[in-house]
Amino acid sequence: MSDSSASSARLSVFKTYKLYVGGKFPRSESGRVYEVTDSKGKWLANAPLSSRKDARDAVVAARKAFGGWSGATAYNRGQILYRVAEMLEGRREQFVREVGEAEGLSKSKAAAVVDAAIDRWVWYAGWTDKIAQLVGGANPVAGPFFNLSTPEPTGVVTVVAPQDSSFLGLVSVLAPVIATGNTAVVIASEKYPLPALSLGEVLATSDLPGGVVNILSGKAAEMGPHLASHQDVNAIDLAGADEALAKELEIAAADNLKRVLRRQSADDWSADPGTKRMTAFLETKTVWHPTGSLGASGSAY
């Protein structure tokens, strides 16, 4: 066979998309997949159809990672988020293609979306060591005491990612969760899961510890109720849930008093995100301490 014949007979190597759980890339334990198509109905890939067991495994991984991630310095978390942005910049063309195919965007529009998502990682990286100054502080009290309030992460947060904004919307809801020291279980867009699953590959090769972010693909209506009622999940962001599902998940979340961030019908993912999502999943710890008195040297003790 000639070289030209061998070349023409070559088959393309299709990418196998997998879940991202605990820093690893498992297939769904059920073995199920579903077809993902582009905006014109052309087949792109088979994505894992996550099960309730996959969701439980993701919660276990997120809980295991929480102690180390929440205990890291805010400065270190910022460095790691910035490193994610660096890694995305290096794979920019891949994400431009995936976002363009998923959302039916031209190459130039998809590039603008990807650039905005990368910039958003950088934006949240800059906030990690500043958010405490925004929501914490010294409180005036009656009596000889210092009263200091500081923010602490809530814990494990389930994120129902936006359905139509497969990458910029995803980054806009995920980055603030981990920037403030929480860990995340993400249910990716059911229609457009491929950019989210590729993001898992970026996170795995960045400095982000395994388990801090766990990405599931499949049906939010199937996994969501289980995660919303899970006793080891502390909060849920309903960004990508439709009205009926959001109501169901909010009711389930009440069982262990989860923090719930309700879906906003007019979310504009290209707009300035503000600090709402960073402060949504923070607890406030208040410490009282006696002021003491002045010694002979004039210093407090």
Side-chain angles (χ1 to χ4, degrees):
M1 181 181 294
S2 67
D3 290 344
S4 60
S5 298
S7 176
S8 63
R10 183 180 182 276
L11 298 176
S12 299
V13 178
F14 292 108
K15 180 174 179 177
T16 301
Y17 288 88
K18 297 182 182 180
L19 308 177
Y20 182 55
V21 177
K24 299 179 181 179
F25 296 95
R27 292 178 169 85
S28 172
E29 62 84 28
S30 67
R32 301 180 301 169
V33 297
Y34 69 102
E35 291 189 356
V36 177
T37 60
D38 65 14
S39 59
K40 298 179 181 178
K42 178 184 176 183
W43 180 87
L44 293 175
N46 289 336
L49 187 59
S50 302
S51 67
R52 291 177 59 178
K53 174 64 165 55
D54 296 317
R56 289 198 299 271
D57 290 345
V59 173
V60 170
R63 176 58 60 191
K64 184 177 180 181
F66 177 69
W69 184 243
S70 62
T73 65
Y75 178 72
N76 180 238
R77 287 199 297 268
Q79 288 180 310
I80 291 173
L81 264 66
Y82 187 82
R83 176 61 175 163
V84 173
E86 287 182 341
M87 300 291 289
L88 285 171
E89 189 75 34
R91 295 176 63 164
R92 179 178 178 274
E93 291 305 312
Q94 174 196 346
F95 280 92
V96 168
R97 174 178 54 80
E98 289 184 338
V99 170
E101 289 175 342
E103 300 179 24
L105 302 176
S106 66
K107 185 174 181 179
S108 61
K109 289 183 178 179
V113 168
V114 171
D115 289 345
I118 295 172
D119 292 347
R120 191 140 298 173
W121 277 110
V122 175
W123 194 80
Y124 280 113
W127 265 108
T128 56
D129 60 354
K130 300 174 184 66
I131 193 69
Q133 300 169 53
L134 182 69
V135 297
N139 310 307
V141 295
F145 301 99
F146 290 123
N147 182 271
L148 304 173
S149 293
T150 58
E152 292 190 343
T154 295
V156 176
V157 180
T158 290
V159 176
V160 184
Q163 290 298 310
D164 295 321
S165 185
S166 63
F167 193 52
L168 178 57
L170 168 69
V171 171
S172 298
V173 295
L174 171 60
V177 169
I178 64 172
T180 48
N182 299 287
T183 55
V185 176
V186 178
I187 303 176
S189 165
E190 182 179 345
K191 292 190 296 182
Y192 312 137
L194 303 188
L197 297 177
S198 289
L199 176 62
E201 298 171 4
V202 170
L203 299 179
T205 52
S206 71
D207 298 323
L208 190 76
V212 172
V213 173
N214 305 275
I215 301 175
L216 306 172
S217 58
K219 299 181 181 297
E222 183 175 334
M223 292 178 283
H226 180 65
L227 289 167
S229 62
H230 198 298
Q231 296 298 299
D232 210 20
V233 173
N234 304 103
I236 185 167
D237 186 337
L238 300 175
D242 61 31
E243 187 175 343
L245 180 59
K247 182 177 180 180
E248 179 184 356
L249 299 186
E250 191 166 356
I251 292 171
D255 191 49
N256 74 334
L257 303 179
K258 289 179 177 64
R259 283 180 174 265
V260 175
L261 185 58
R262 293 180 175 88
R263 177 175 176 268
Q264 304 297 313
S265 58
D267 274 327
D268 178 4
W269 302 114
S270 63
D272 184 335
T275 58
K276 178 180 179 181
R277 280 196 151 79
M278 280 188 291
T279 58
F281 303 121
L282 287 173
E283 310 291 337
T284 299
K285 180 174 73 175
T286 301
V287 177
W288 292 72
H289 193 281
T291 57
S293 58
L294 294 178
S297 65
S299 61
Y301 64 88

